[in-house]
Amino acid sequence: MDRVAPSARSDAYGSRINRAHSPTLAYCIPLLTVVCGSILSIVPIASAVPLMPPLGFITLLAWRMVRPGLFPIWAGFPLGMIDDLFSGQPFGSAIMLWSLALISVEVLEARFPWRGFIQDWLSAVVIITLYLLLGALLSGASLDWQAVVALVPQLLIAILLFPVIARQVARLDRVRLMRFWKIG
């Protein structure tokens, strides 16, 4: 009788025999990373221009693009509400903008089901740019050329930070799908 190869009993997430995914990790890690990204916006940075990118929003986009079916479209409402509590924007702006962003990502995914990282990054650049401009408009600021120039450092940091956050989200996705020993 031939022996089964040891690699047949495992995959990238660990052993498959008597192991199962943790529902707690599978549901909590994406939500907690987006909420922690939103909470990080209250870190005090002394600057004349806005430098802190919307980390919660970028993390939500990264999760949505790395794992397309993970967040439903309606997830923009409760996560945007949490972001509104910490960001200092008028209440409801993140709810509307996050919901519109998730709808637009869903439309992009339906239109272009097979995408690569470059397409995801370009669509994230467009969505983040619109998010920052509409967020500034909804905050009551006048969008003259000086205000738009003041948003450029924040926009550049957000654009350059998206691939880093997407990479971390991919690593957290592997942790989220780890298998643990189950009894019974």
Side-chain angles (χ1 to χ4, degrees):
M1 184 172 210
D2 292 329
R3 291 185 149 218
V4 176
S7 62
R9 295 186 187 119
S10 65
D11 60 7
Y13 305 112
S15 177
R16 290 187 288 190
I17 297 175
N18 200 20
R19 304 286 194 265
H21 299 292
S22 169
T24 306
L25 283 180
Y27 292 118
C28 289
I29 285 181
L31 293 173
L32 289 177
T33 54
V34 173
V35 170
C36 287
S38 293
I39 292 173
L40 279 176
S41 67
I42 62 172
V43 172
I45 295 177
S47 175
V49 295
L51 288 177
M52 193 68 159
L55 294 175
F57 181 70
I58 297 172
T59 307
L60 176 74
L61 278 180
W63 273 110
R64 186 63 183 87
M65 291 184 181
V66 169
R67 278 287 181 186
L70 188 64
F71 282 116
I73 293 178
W74 56 264
F77 181 80
L79 293 173
M81 188 170 20
I82 291 171
D83 187 70
D84 277 337
L85 294 175
F86 292 104
S87 69
Q89 289 284 96
F91 191 76
S93 64
I95 293 171
M96 181 184 71
L97 294 175
W98 287 32
S99 298
L100 289 175
L102 286 179
I103 290 170
S104 66
V105 169
E106 188 72 27
V107 167
L108 279 172
E109 187 176 310
R111 179 76 174 116
F112 305 107
W114 297 285
R115 303 178 318 270
F117 178 73
I118 298 297
Q119 290 92 352
D120 283 346
W121 195 6
L122 289 175
S123 59
V125 165
V126 169
I127 292 171
I128 290 170
T129 304
L130 289 173
Y131 176 78
L132 288 176
L133 289 174
L134 290 173
L137 189 65
L138 289 174
S139 71
S142 62
L143 278 182
D144 55 350
W145 67 274
Q146 295 168 342
V148 173
V149 169
L151 284 177
V152 169
Q154 183 181 20
L155 179 64
L156 288 176
I157 291 171
I159 289 170
L160 295 175
L161 204 57
F162 178 77
V164 175
I165 291 176
R167 179 73 174 191
Q168 294 302 319
V169 161
R171 286 185 181 151
L172 284 171
D173 191 43
R174 291 193 70 189
V175 171
R176 182 182 76 89
L177 295 175
M178 277 183 9
R179 291 190 175 111
F180 295 98
W181 186 58
K182 68 175 183 175
I183 299 173

